[in-house]
Amino acid sequence: MARRKKIYEGKAKTLYEGPEPGTIVQYFKDDATAFNAEKHATIEGKGVLNNMLSEYFMRGLTNLGIPNHFIRRLNMREQLVRACEIVPLEVIVRNYAAGSMAKRLGIEEGMQLPRPVVEYCLKDDKLGDPLVTEEHIAAFGWASQQDMDDILSLALRVNDFLSGVMYGVGIKLVDFKIEIGRVYDGDYQRLIVADEISPDSCRLWDMETGQKLDKDVFRRDLGSLTDAYTEVATRLGVMPKANVPPSKPTLIN
Ligand code: 5GP
C-alpha cells in the first residue's frame, strides 16, 4: 500500500496529503505541550477526544453558516479538512480575564470583561507567539484590512456559538484561540475557521464549581487531562462515558 505524504508535523497534530486535491487529513496526536513546548507529555486518549470535539464544534459552525475547514471525520483520530493557507496569526477571544491577559494587565483571573476582547498573536514558536497589534499586522502585510474585518467577524460569531453551546452544559467559555485559513474559489479568496476547536485551545470552567476542564489542567498540574476532556465530551453528548479510553493519563516525559 502506498504510504501517504506527511505535509506537516505540529505539536498536537500531523497533517497528511488528502485523498482528493485540496484536502488534508488531520491526525490528532496524544501529545500535550505547554509553555512553548518546554513541558511535554503523552496523554492517552487526548487525540481521540479532540478529534471528536473539534468535529462537534466545526459541524455546529457549519450549521450556523460560519465557514470552516471541516469536511468529515475519517476515524477516531483523523478528519478530512479543506486545505488552506493559514494566516500567520492566532486569534484569541476573551470573555473573562485569565492566562496571559490577567498576568500582563495585573487583573484577577475570572473577572468578567465588559465585552469580548479580541487579541492577535503572531504564529511564531521561536518568538513564543508574541502579541501584535493591527498596526503590526498591516505594516508587515500578515493580513489586509478586509481580512481583519472578516477575521473579527468570524471570531465574534465563533464566540457567540461556543459560549452558547458551553453555557447549555454548565460551562463558562473563558477564552479561546482559533486559526484562520485562506481558500481560493476561482479568482476570489475567502477566510474560513481552520486548525481545531477543542479544550486544548479554549479555557472552560465549570459554572458551579469553577473547576478547570481545559488544557490548564496540564499546564498547571491540576489532575487528569483525560478526565477533564471526557467531562466536556460527555456533557456535550459527543462521547458516551463507556467508550472513553482509560481515565488515568500515561505520562511520558
Ligand atoms: P493565553 O494568551 O491566556 O495564554 O491564552 C488564551 C487562550 O488561547 C487560551 O484558551 C489558550 O488555550 C489559547 N491559546 C493561546 N496560545 C495557544 C497555542 O499556542 N496553542 C493552543 N492550543 N492554544 C493557545
Side-chain angles (χ1 to χ4, degrees):
M1 206 169 88
R3 237 182 124 75
R4 60 188 172 174
K5 191 172 160 203
K6 192 193 277 187
I7 298 174
Y8 175 78
E9 175 139 18
K11 286 174 275 190
K13 292 186 295 297
T14 305
L15 305 183
Y16 298 94
E17 212 166 61
E20 300 121 40
T23 64
I24 282 179
V25 173
Q26 191 164 252
Y27 176 97
F28 287 76
K29 303 197 284 188
D30 279 345
D31 296 54
T33 60
F35 313 119
N36 210 7
E38 271 172 40
K39 181 171 179 174
H40 177 257
T42 303
I43 297 180
E44 207 178 317
K46 181 176 91 82
V48 173
L49 285 157
N50 280 351
N51 185 27
M52 309 292 261
L53 282 163
S54 200
E55 173 191 13
Y56 178 83
F57 294 128
M58 294 290 180
R59 279 189 191 282
L61 296 187
T62 302
N63 285 333
L64 293 185
I66 303 172
N68 66 84
H69 73 165
F70 183 81
I71 301 173
R72 66 176 182 275
R73 185 163 61 79
L74 299 171
N75 54 49
M76 294 298 271
R77 286 190 181 272
E78 295 178 326
Q79 48 184 248
L80 189 68
V81 299
R82 189 162 174 188
C84 56
E85 226 174 80
I86 294 286
V87 175
L89 298 171
E90 294 195 335
V91 181
I92 293 170
V93 184
R94 301 181 185 271
N95 299 305
Y96 296 82
S100 70
M101 180 207 227
K103 201 168 163 190
R104 191 179 336 111
L105 303 180
I107 303 170
E108 200 182 327
E109 280 208 315
M111 192 192 94
Q112 186 165 17
L113 301 172
R115 42 168 257 188
V117 172
V118 182
E119 293 177 349
Y120 305 100
C121 293
L122 179 65
K123 262 174 71 68
D124 188 322
D125 284 342
K126 278 191 248 94
L127 299 176
D129 300 338
L131 186 70
V132 292
T133 67
E134 289 195 52
E135 283 287 295
H136 296 126
I137 296 167
F140 295 106
W142 296 318
S144 68
Q145 189 52 56
Q146 179 63 56
D147 290 340
M148 292 313 289
D149 293 347
D150 293 348
I151 289 172
L152 180 64
S153 156
L154 280 174
L156 293 176
R157 290 177 78 193
V158 172
N159 186 43
D160 284 348
F161 162 71
L162 269 187
S163 299
V165 168
M166 299 318 297
Y167 178 81
V169 294
I171 295 174
K172 213 188 247 184
L173 177 67
V174 173
D175 58 33
F176 65 92
K177 181 263 300 183
I178 50 169
E179 296 191 16
I180 302 292
R182 231 180 260 290
V183 290
Y184 296 91
D185 290 324
D187 286 344
Y188 296 95
Q189 69 130 35
R190 286 189 305 125
L191 296 179
I192 63 175
V193 178
D195 189 48
E196 73 177 278
I197 300 178
S198 76
D200 263 10
S201 49
C202 301
R203 280 199 175 89
L204 305 170
W205 297 355
D206 180 83
M207 261 174 195
E208 294 287 314
T209 64
Q211 186 192 354
K212 293 182 179 22
L213 299 169
D214 56 65
K215 202 166 139 189
D216 275 350
V217 171
F218 169 71
R219 294 187 188 104
R220 303 181 188 188
D221 294 319
L222 299 175
S224 161
L225 194 72
T226 318
D227 285 355
Y229 288 19
T230 301
E231 178 66 25
V232 176
T234 306
R235 285 197 203 184
L236 291 169
V238 169
M239 193 181 249
K241 225 171 180 119
N243 291 348
V244 166
S247 62
K248 289 280 166 276
T250 310
L251 295 177
I252 301 168
N253 289 315

